[in-house]
Structures are given as structure tokens and as C-alpha cells.
Amino acid sequence: EARGYLSLTMNADILTQIQAAFDRSKDHLDDLPNRDDVFITLAEHPDIFPCVHAILSDEIQLRSITGFTAAPRSSGRGWHRETAGIQGVNHTRSTLCVEAYIQLDDTPPGGANLMAVPTSYRFESDLPAIARIQDMPHAVALPGQAGSVALLHGNLWQARTRNQSHV
């Protein structure tokens, strides 16, 4: 938790159910809870919810459950902080938001990786002048195996690299 992110592993049986539901819902990734009940169960999933509850306490609200696919040669998403646009909050002292990223498939070589800058949620700082996502000082790639779950503090610098693979 001190790094601003936590890596977990999801149960293989549940992962298989989520993968199948995701495949059936690929045309509606912004509306997953209305496509299959398995997505609703993610809100209180026994591999994830206890950790989120320990971080946020009883003040938990689910904002959304969405999905994305990193198409071959897709550009990724640049460095950002999810809560950056929320005004009136001291983000370095607040745990306003926790995101849960669930990796459904293994990231292939050259595939899109979720990146984070450990402890960056504690400091207000501007994005350094960098040319590529991989050039961010102190950035680390988070686990990219199927079943990996990354819980990220909403004020953590995060990005997704370009998918340079053919998958």
C-alpha cells in the first residue's frame, strides 16, 4: 500500500467465468454490468473487496465497471492521475479513489503494459518532459499475467504502453 498500488492474484475458476463473459460482451465494454451478472459480482469479489475495504473502510462506492482491449498497434494511454480533475481535495492526503485493473489474458511480448510510478500519489508534481511512456522516471510495469489484479490509488501516476504486438 505504501507504493500506491497493490498486486493480487485472482482465483482461476472465477477468472475463466469473467473471461467468457467479457468475450460475450466485447461490443459493449462501457456497459458490462448490464451484459452479464458476473460483472456485478466483481463489486464484492472475495479476492478484491476485502483489500479495497481495508483501504477505503466503509466509505465505498462503485463508480463503474468498464473494460477495454488493447488492439494490435494501439497507442496506449499517456501518464495521468485518475483523480487529478477533482477540485477541493488534498489528493496527497486522501484515498478518494481506488481502481482495480483485472488482467484477463497474459500480456504478449511487446504488448500493452500497465505502468505506475510508486509513491507518486503522495506528491503533487507536474509530468516531466518525456517523449515516451517508458521514459518516465521511476516507473514500473505492473504484473501482466492473466488473473493479475492491480489496485491503484487514484492519485498515482499511471499509464498504459503502446501495444506493439500483433495480438
Side-chain angles (χ1 to χ4, degrees):
E1 184 181 336
R3 299 173 298 185
Y5 66 90
L6 184 61
S7 297
L8 309 171
T9 303
M10 182 173 277
N11 176 293
D13 293 336
I14 301 296
L15 176 63
T16 302
Q17 293 174 21
I18 296 169
Q19 288 167 326
F22 187 85
D23 288 342
R24 291 189 300 271
S25 306
K26 280 194 175 177
D27 294 334
H28 305 282
L29 297 181
D30 58 341
D31 191 31
L32 294 177
N34 292 318
R35 297 294 164 189
D36 197 298
D37 288 345
V38 74
F39 298 114
I40 294 171
T41 64
L42 286 175
E44 293 182 336
H45 193 277
D47 292 339
I48 302 169
F49 183 78
C51 293
V52 174
H53 185 265
I55 295 166
L56 296 177
S57 161
D58 291 333
E59 301 298 320
I60 295 176
Q61 293 182 6
L62 177 63
R63 186 175 66 110
S64 66
I65 297 175
T66 57
F68 71 90
T69 59
R73 305 294 181 199
S74 62
S75 62
R77 183 169 181 206
W79 287 104
H80 64 284
R81 297 176 192 248
E82 281 301 316
T83 58
I86 300 173
Q87 306 245 337
V89 176
N90 181 343
H91 295 290
T92 61
R93 293 180 178 261
S94 171
T95 308
L96 178 70
C97 167
V98 172
E99 295 179 283
Y101 286 90
I102 302 169
Q103 184 88 20
L104 298 182
D105 298 303
D106 290 337
T107 301
N113 285 314
L114 181 60
M115 306 282 292
V117 179
T119 72
S120 61
Y121 72 98
R122 294 180 181 177
F123 310 100
E124 287 300 328
S125 59
D126 294 327
L127 184 65
I130 54 174
R132 300 174 316 138
I133 290 171
Q134 296 87 334
D135 295 339
M136 179 69 135
H138 311 292
V140 297
L142 299 182
Q145 295 80 30
S148 297
V149 179
L151 301 180
L152 277 61
H153 187 287
N155 198 45
L156 188 74
W157 279 112
Q158 59 179 285
R160 186 178 65 249
T161 62
R162 176 183 185 88
N163 183 0
Q164 298 179 22
S165 76
H166 296 286
V167 197

